[in-house]
Amino acid sequence: MSIIAKDSGIVCDESRLMGFPAPMSAAAEQLFLSAMGAGMAREDDGLLIKQYQGYGAPSVAETGTEEEEAAKAKELSVTPAGKPKKVLFVGLGAMGKGMSLSIKKAGIEVLGYDVKDAALDAYRQAGGKTADDLLSGAKDADVVVLVPNTAAQAEDILVGLDGKGICTGKLSIHG
Amino acid sequence: MGELTIVLPQNAVVVLCSTIAPTAAVNLQKALDKVGKGHQLVDAPVSGGPSRAETGDLALMASGDDAALARAHAVLRALSAQAGNEINLHLIRE
């Protein structure tokens, strides 16, 4: 800890002399200094996390055997289920258009939908197939991809609660 | 605006590619559960911009139920692995 505190001090001193702002380094230096002040000078700098535990955060120390922890650390592996028969892709904007066409390029049957006619036109121009409306597009779709701006829009598309649903922050839950 | 869940078949997977709060994802799954057709949400925010969306080369962090991830896998790979970058796709158990 004392080494990294010293090194971050050097970085901050140099940047100050050059008149170059380094706000993240400044913040990091303060954190390392607080660890030093807490008596952690001889600890590994990674143990800075112990400072946060002091504020009531749960312990992050590993408690299992080496094998148990190694198994937990592995990325989740999932056995893929094969191509879906039909995908509905909702939201053909800046990201959605390219994403939906990528799905098509992978040989997956995909129908695109957007509320804006301009987006639908651009998508068809680029070779995509569009649904006439949301509900006919959703028929028999095993996978739906949504690219709305907000969770509230996603909720609206899925369960149509017109802004009175769980995701709009109001306390009432409709059912 | 819509009510997709009325028309979607049983056990359809809903892949959400926007960046939303973790609690919003939990709430959306609750809304799907209420419909009672086994619809599962895969929360899959993406990163990389429009040019990487077009080449199917987005970084994608997907979390969801194992069965839902399995059914969505081909689609997730179509979005993230088509430029040969297998490292783009990260699957997370919720």
Side-chain angles (χ1 to χ4, degrees), chain A residues 75-76 78-81 94-95 98-99 102 106 134-135 138-139 141-146 148 156-160 166 174, chain B residues 1-5 7-9 12-15 17-18 27-28 34 49-50 53-54 56 58 70 73 78-79 82 90-91 93:
Chain A
E75 253 195 58
L76 177 63
V78 143
T79 314
M95 293 294 286
M99 288 167 72
S102 289
L134 208 50
L135 295 184
K139 204 165 177 304
D142 348 40
V143 177
V144 180
V145 183
L146 301 180
D156 201 37
I157 293 168
L158 291 168
V159 294
I166 307 176
H174 285 245
Chain B
M1 190 234 282
E3 277 190 70
L4 280 196
T5 49
V7 177
L8 284 173
V13 176
V14 179
V15 179
C17 292
S18 315
N27 286 337
L28 276 172
K34 277 177 87 65
E54 278 166 23
L58 293 169
H73 202 261
L79 295 172
Q82 284 202 72
H90 299 274
L91 303 179
R93 182 168 286 126

Side-chain angles (χ1 to χ4, degrees), chain A residues 6 19 29 36 45 51 58-59 74 106 121 147 149 152 158 171:
Chain A
K6 168 183 69 69
E29 188 195 14
M36 295 283 284
D45 42 90
Q51 285 262 281
S59 171
K74 283 211 186 88
D121 286 337
V147 194
N149 288 323
L158 291 168
L171 290 177

